[in-house]
């Protein structure tokens, strides 16, 4: 039977992956907002908007770190069960 309680079934990197996804989405929206004036012919946004666009890369790296953390925890768990035999 599967446990649907998220607090107990969360893997070690799950929160980092979720946070990375949110940061990535914020960066993607900032990128769209920054690029839109180029196509619409209006005045460009201030320079800090280009900095906010970098959040896409930061979010991607955060999510990747969460995946690697989850993989490492899975390997540790597999080694521990292998040693228990």
């Amino acid at each position: 039977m599967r446990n649907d309680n998220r607090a107990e079934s969360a893997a070690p990197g799950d929160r980092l992956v979720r946070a990375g996804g949110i940061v990535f989405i914020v960066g993607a929206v900032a990128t769209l907002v920054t690029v839109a004036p180029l196509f619409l012919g209006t005045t460009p946004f201030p320079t800090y908007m280009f900095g906010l666009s970098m959040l896409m890369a930061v979010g991607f790296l955060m999510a990747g770190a969460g995946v690697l953390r989850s993989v490492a925890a899975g390997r540790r768990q597999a080694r521990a069960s292998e040693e228990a035999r």
Side-chain angles (χ1 to χ4, degrees):
M1 186 172 210
R2 204 173 118 200
N3 185 4
D4 288 331
N5 189 353
R6 288 183 181 252
E8 293 179 18
S9 64
D14 283 353
R15 281 194 224 162
L16 200 54
V17 171
R18 285 188 190 123
I22 292 169
V23 171
F24 182 86
I25 290 171
V26 169
V29 169
T31 300
L32 290 174
V33 168
T34 304
V35 174
L38 298 174
F39 294 115
L40 300 175
T42 60
T43 36
F45 283 98
T47 307
Y48 70 87
M49 287 300 291
F50 293 101
L52 286 177
S53 297
M54 294 298 124
L55 288 177
M56 277 179 50
V58 172
F60 186 76
L61 290 174
M62 286 174 64
V67 168
L68 291 176
R69 187 173 177 194
S70 180
V71 167
R75 285 183 179 177
R76 278 193 301 270
Q77 186 179 12
R79 261 191 231 127
S81 68
E82 192 69 25
E83 290 175 2
R85 289 182 186 183

